[in-house]
Amino acid sequence: LSVLLQLRDEASAGLKSFTHTLEQHRKGLMAIAAVGVLTGIAALAVKSSQEQAIGISRLDTALQRIGSSYAANTQAIETLVSAQQRKTNFSDEQQREALQSLITLSGDYVASLSSLPMVLDLASGLSIDLHTASILVGKALAGNTTLLSRYGIELKEGATQTEIIAALTTKFAGAASASANPMIVLKNQVDDLMQVFGNALLPALTTAIGVLA
């Protein structure tokens, strides 16, 4: 019994000593934890910024192939993309990727941009991913409506781009906004803030790496 009591007392003393040590270093430990959290956030922000830059670069390449550029159309593209992101589940990155596919397949920037909201509605209405929806519409704008017919969507033979966009808009209008999940919309907005943070950090990090190299 005396041995057990001695062990208990030793354990109690050890616990008190450990607690006292933690209390002494509490501020330092909290600072270390805070630095770790901030470092993690910074890393995520930079990664998000880089992913956005890659997506824009790919879209720019698609535009350059048809004699245009992202720089020449930034305001029109980003105004539409931002408006759609605020009321649907689709992030700006997803929309730029879809627009890239539309442009690549149709070869027509104006038709591709004007059809983007409809492509979001089509994806939501058919419960398919946005990439697939953009391929369906991109090929239809290029004159191939066969894939759409596989989804039960019949368009009149020889339909123009304007008629195709109008027909699909009429059939699926509002599907994307009706399917919007507030939590996903909020997440996309937070991701945008991370990108802004990452855009601000990236030049400083690039400079620091250059100095250390």
Side-chain angles (χ1 to χ4, degrees), residues 105 122 126 128 131-155 168 172:
L105 292 169
L122 178 69
L126 293 179
I128 59 178
H131 178 66
T132 299
S134 67
I135 291 175
L136 292 176
V137 175
K139 289 192 174 183
L141 293 176
N144 182 357
T145 61
T146 303
L147 290 178
L148 280 174
S149 65
R150 295 177 185 175
Y151 288 85
I153 303 171
E154 298 295 338
L155 298 171
L168 293 175
F172 295 101

Side-chain angles (χ1 to χ4, degrees), residues 43-134:
L44 289 174
V46 169
K47 181 174 182 291
S48 181
S49 175
Q50 290 174 324
E51 290 174 347
Q52 180 188 53
I54 291 170
I56 289 175
S57 177
R58 289 173 176 167
L59 177 55
D60 182 53
T61 298
L63 283 163
Q64 288 187 27
R65 285 173 180 158
I66 60 170
S68 188
S69 69
Y70 175 78
N73 299 283
T74 300
Q75 183 173 356
I77 292 172
E78 295 306 324
T79 296
L80 178 61
V81 165
S82 295
Q84 295 302 311
Q85 181 178 258
R86 287 194 294 271
K87 61 182 181 180
T88 72
N89 292 334
F90 301 105
S91 68
D92 51 1
E93 288 89 353
Q94 289 174 309
Q95 292 183 65
R96 290 191 200 99
E97 182 182 355
L99 182 58
Q100 175 198 338
S101 295
L102 289 167
I103 292 169
T104 299
L105 292 169
S106 71
D108 189 320
Y109 162 69
V110 174
S112 296
L113 187 66
S114 63
S115 68
L116 184 59
M118 174 269 289
V119 175
L120 307 186
D121 286 330
L122 178 69
S124 299
L126 293 179
S127 297
I128 59 178
D129 63 85
L130 187 56
H131 178 66
T132 299
S134 67

